[in-house]
Amino acid sequence: MTPGRPVPPPLAKPVAPEPAAPEAIVVDGGRLAAAYGATSPDSGLVPLTLARRAPGADDVEIAIEFCGLCHSDVHATRGEWGGKVWPLVPGHEIVGTVSRVGSAVTDFAAGDRVGVGCMVDSCRECESCLDGLEQYCENGMTGTYGAVDRRNGGALTQGGYSSSVVVDRRYVLRVPAALDPAAAAPLLCAGVTTFSPLRHFDVEEGDVVGVVGLGGLGHMAVKFAKAMGAKVVVFTTSEAKVAAAVELGADEVVLSRDEAAMAAANRSIDLIIDTVAAPHDLKPFFRTLRVDGALFQLGLPSEAMPPVNPGALIGRRLSYTGSLIGGIAATQEMLDFCAGHGVAADIEVVRADQLNEAYDRMVAGDVKYRFVLDTSTLQGPAKEADA
């Protein structure tokens, strides 16, 4: 396996960020959007109205159809990841159709089905951005929600639990017609997060990929690795997930609490995708890797992980690394790959009035494997905006 990444399309000439303004400016021609969001860490998700800006020359206005629910949305709206500015509308797995475009937009037109992932801007001029790795922008990417939008008067970005959004064309993705729009929504985060490390290590037929954990990320990792031709081994602590892993396409399932089973897997894996977001000991998984194997950490535990002994890496020239979503080029490649290989997320569609229940179920692990909001169930916007 050799590292690699897709060649990004050329970016437009960098635009210097505007100085942050104390308040967001609502431009004439913008539209009010119905939304659900939090007004405090304890409010839960409640109906809100957003003032979306009018499309600028390079902007695309999107009528949102579906938005995936990511576990990070729960952390953000419940104030578990530090201070936030309220109200806050989450959602960074957006699929919809273009309703309007700016005067300089030639690559999208009204009626096109499109998507927006975890970022809506970046500096466009640093080495990472120019390499198509906008997620690693050296000046900080602009998140789809809860971030200061420096190019638009310092407004706070608001996400996809809403009826519409306006995004610069450079950060809008084409959603192929072959993909179901609801099942495509989680691909914009969970999909590209697992696709990127598999593609970075050029997984191909004959490789053996281990997947630790079988949740929203893990089930996508299994599907992608199988579609790339790899043998897939799922590691799980739950006997109840054995049948589910096989149904998703896993060739083998190893109960990671079974010392004998883990010992039998010694030196059998080329690449491990670790999706577990709780502290866990990595030493048993390092032992399953072959020489020059790698373990990609995708899960982000809220507490400290057990330390990694360098000796576990040195003995087989192993790599222990991480990965963050994917750049725009990689995300488009992932969507096209899904369309060509029949890959999509396993989802449960929910109404707006079920969002708080869905959050509680996510925390409890009661979903196979991703929730998606049907935005047609949002109430109409109020006459005045909340944000």
Side-chain angles (χ1 to χ4, degrees), residues 42-327:
D42 303 317
S43 69
L45 298 172
V46 298
L48 295 170
T49 296
L50 299 177
R52 295 298 196 185
R53 70 176 186 266
D58 289 315
D59 283 337
V60 176
E61 183 183 68
I62 302 166
I64 300 173
E65 299 171 288
F66 298 98
C67 186
L69 279 59
C70 181
H71 209 118
S72 59
D73 299 344
V74 180
H75 293 306
T77 56
R78 293 182 176 179
E80 296 169 353
W81 279 354
K84 294 290 182 183
V85 178
W86 311 99
L88 179 67
V89 174
H92 55 212
E93 299 175 343
I94 300 168
V95 171
T97 57
V98 175
S99 52
R100 289 191 292 177
V101 298
S103 58
V105 177
T106 59
D107 42 353
F108 296 102
D112 289 349
R113 177 159 281 132
V114 295
V116 176
C118 300
M119 55 185 163
V120 292
D121 203 357
S122 61
C123 80
R124 310 179 195 173
E125 58 186 352
C126 71
E127 183 176 354
S128 292
C129 285
L130 296 176
D131 279 350
L133 299 171
E134 299 92 344
Q135 75 273 33
Y136 302 125
C137 177
E138 295 158 30
N139 296 301
M141 70 172 182
T142 302
T144 304
Y145 66 85
V148 174
D149 189 348
R150 293 172 299 218
R151 294 182 205 273
N152 291 283
L156 188 73
T157 59
Q158 301 287 1
Y161 295 11
S162 57
S163 56
S164 69
V165 68
V166 179
V167 179
D168 187 286
R169 64 173 181 80
R170 300 167 185 84
Y171 302 84
V172 177
L173 291 309
R174 291 193 174 277
V175 176
L179 295 179
D180 173 81
L187 300 178
L188 278 304
C189 178
V192 71
T193 295
T194 49
F195 181 87
S196 289
L198 293 168
R199 188 56 98 206
H200 182 74
F201 267 74
D202 196 21
V203 169
E204 59 189 3
E205 187 173 356
D207 293 330
V208 182
V209 173
V211 177
V212 182
L214 197 66
L217 291 176
H219 95 287
M220 291 305 310
V222 171
K223 291 188 176 192
F224 281 132
K226 284 297 294 182
M228 292 174 182
K231 175 182 176 180
V232 178
V233 179
V234 169
F235 294 92
T236 179
T237 59
S238 173
E239 291 188 20
K241 291 191 175 182
V242 172
V246 172
E247 183 179 353
L248 286 167
D251 298 284
E252 294 181 18
V253 184
V254 176
L255 293 173
S256 56
R257 297 186 190 277
D258 184 333
E259 292 184 6
M262 291 295 289
N266 185 37
R267 292 180 180 263
S268 64
I269 308 292
D270 295 300
L271 174 69
I272 290 176
I273 304 296
D274 188 338
T275 70
V276 176
H280 56 290
D281 188 1
L282 296 176
K283 290 194 293 292
F285 300 106
F286 286 136
R287 296 188 193 108
T288 70
L289 288 170
R290 294 170 174 162
V291 172
D292 286 331
L295 189 153
F296 263 98
Q297 189 73 48
L298 300 184
L300 184 61
S302 57
E303 300 175 6
M305 291 273 285
V308 172
N309 184 340
L313 308 178
I314 292 171
R316 299 184 192 177
R317 199 162 62 187
L318 302 181
S319 299
Y320 175 43
T321 186
S323 182
L324 176 67
I325 53 172

